[in-house]
Amino acid sequence: MVTTLLVFVVALALIFDYTNGFHDAANSIATVVSTKVLTPFQAVVWAAAFNFLAYFVVKDHKVANFVSKIVFSDFVNIHVILAGLVAAITWNLTTWWFGIPSSSSHTLIGGFAGAGMTNALYMGSNAFLAVNMHYIIPIILYIVLAPFIGLFVAYLITIIILHICKNARPAAAERWFKALQLISSGLLSFAHGTNDAQKVMGILYLALISSKIIGAGAAMPEWIPLACYSAIALGTMSGGWKIVKTMGSKITKITPLEGVSAETAAAITLGFTEHFGIPVSTTHTITGSIIGVGLTKRVSAVRWGVTINLVWAWIITIPISALIAGIIFALLRVFGV
């Protein structure tokens, strides 16, 4: 039965996807803007187009399926999903306001898990029995692994390119790499769409199951991926300029060559994790890739003070989102929503 609450939750999920888009726009466009290959407006339109292109290409929805299994179904209801979404949007907007490139993926996962755990307590169960550790452990592992994979691949690509182009004329090489950055930026935006839009797809799928609109194990309705890819693309077009500044200039100075390396490395990493259905952070991945290209110059080329602050934001995102979601779920119970 379609209820007002379900309609509200669907709208809220798409709002989160929209905030995910403008919060994570920096991941796709920071380097291409900082190297002046595209203007900010051109860059967000370019990124949004490739975000949406993923809708026509990716049909297996492995990441969405992964997210839908983070909390055991016995502890999932429409109020758990509502509390998780409100917490995720709250943290997304807070970090956007302060220009902190935290993970939209992890705030959604933290919020969903926190609400599920609080529901378990209300049901008289152990909170930790609500979360499926088989799915939580890979997420925690890739908080560490994704940036390091991006760092290693970016470092390797940069070294290879520098070796190949060691005799090239600098002016000609820069023109080539500015053109190539359009391709690498597009690939990263495509990978961002395949990874991040699917997380909300998994949440919406659960919302329909918990509301008895579809049965468990049913095929995902086609409107869900279409709506999610559209929302994230529109959000990307809105841009997150405070975060663009952090990603594009505060970590390390980026040249077109380094932009190609960082974006290509991040796209490869995200493609790898999407293939295995692991919901990783686009933010963590591109940050690691940017650090990787900085390290090819010298260790001091990376502004480690900024980087350490970013790492702290990554560490606290899941627990804070879980705490906020738990409080919201409790309030929903108190006020009988």
Side-chain angles (χ1 to χ4, degrees):
M1 179 180 177
V2 177
T3 63
T4 302
L5 185 57
L6 175 60
V7 172
F8 180 69
V9 165
V10 170
L12 208 59
L14 296 178
I15 289 170
F16 171 79
D17 228 359
Y18 178 85
T19 66
N20 188 343
F22 79 69
H23 193 280
D24 287 6
N27 301 337
S28 302
I29 71 170
T31 58
V32 80
V33 170
S34 65
T35 55
K36 297 182 171 57
V37 172
L38 294 175
T39 66
F41 176 75
Q42 291 170 334
V44 292
V45 172
W46 182 257
F50 278 90
N51 272 172
F52 189 71
L53 179 64
Y55 165 73
F56 299 101
V57 179
V58 179
K59 298 297 181 180
D60 54 21
H61 310 323
K62 291 180 183 178
V63 173
N65 183 55
F66 192 107
V67 170
S68 70
K69 295 178 179 177
I70 289 170
V71 178
F72 285 112
S73 58
D74 291 346
F75 303 100
V76 176
N77 57 38
I78 197 69
H79 296 92
V80 166
I81 296 169
L82 173 60
L85 286 169
V86 172
I89 291 171
T90 301
W91 186 245
N92 248 8
L93 293 177
T94 301
T95 52
W96 164 76
W97 179 259
F98 290 103
I100 302 168
S102 67
S103 170
S104 296
S105 305
H106 290 156
T107 189
L108 180 63
I109 290 165
F112 182 36
M117 292 169 74
T118 308
N119 188 31
L121 291 175
Y122 271 96
M123 294 171 68
S125 181
N126 186 321
F128 291 99
L129 293 179
V131 292
N132 190 337
M133 297 308 294
H134 178 73
Y135 291 91
I136 290 293
I137 289 172
I139 292 171
I140 294 171
L141 284 176
Y142 273 86
I143 290 176
V144 177
L145 289 177
F148 275 101
I149 294 171
L151 185 155
F152 174 75
V153 175
Y155 185 90
L156 191 63
I157 290 173
T158 307
I159 294 298
I160 292 171
I161 290 174
L162 287 172
H163 179 73
I164 293 172
C165 300
K166 61 184 176 182
N167 296 321
R169 291 185 295 112
E174 184 167 358
R175 284 196 301 272
W176 271 102
F177 284 114
K178 282 189 173 183
L180 287 171
Q181 234 192 315
L182 290 173
I183 299 173
S184 61
S185 176
L187 288 173
L188 178 55
S189 298
F190 176 84
H192 174 228
T194 63
N195 199 281
D196 284 38
Q198 285 199 53
K199 292 153 191 169
V200 175
M201 287 162 53
I203 296 296
L204 282 177
Y205 180 66
L206 277 179
L208 295 186
I209 292 174
S210 64
S211 300
K212 305 292 192 291
I213 303 298
I214 59 174
M220 182 180 293
E222 187 58 32
W223 68 265
I224 291 181
L226 179 60
C228 288
Y229 281 114
S230 299
I232 203 167
L234 288 171
T236 297
M237 286 189 68
S238 301
W241 306 118
K242 293 181 180 182
I243 301 173
V244 170
K245 185 177 181 182
T246 299
M247 299 292 286
S249 61
K250 288 188 178 179
I251 296 174
T252 188
K253 183 177 173 59
I254 295 290
T255 66
L257 181 157
E258 292 158 353
V260 169
S261 297
E263 289 160 353
T264 303
I268 290 171
T269 305
L270 291 171
F272 168 79
T273 54
E274 195 280 330
H275 176 74
F276 290 101
I278 302 169
V280 302
S281 168
T282 309
T283 306
H284 295 192
T285 306
I286 187 61
T287 302
S289 299
I290 292 172
I291 292 170
V293 299
L295 289 175
T296 61
K297 293 177 280 192
R298 59 188 183 281
V299 174
S300 61
V302 178
R303 297 183 177 94
W304 294 106
V306 174
T307 304
I308 290 169
N309 289 337
L310 299 183
V311 170
W312 275 113
W314 300 350
I315 291 170
I316 66 174
T317 289
I318 288 180
I320 285 187
S321 300
L323 178 62
I324 295 171
I327 293 170
I328 292 169
F329 182 84
L331 290 173
L332 291 174
R333 288 293 302 262
V334 168
F335 290 102
V337 175

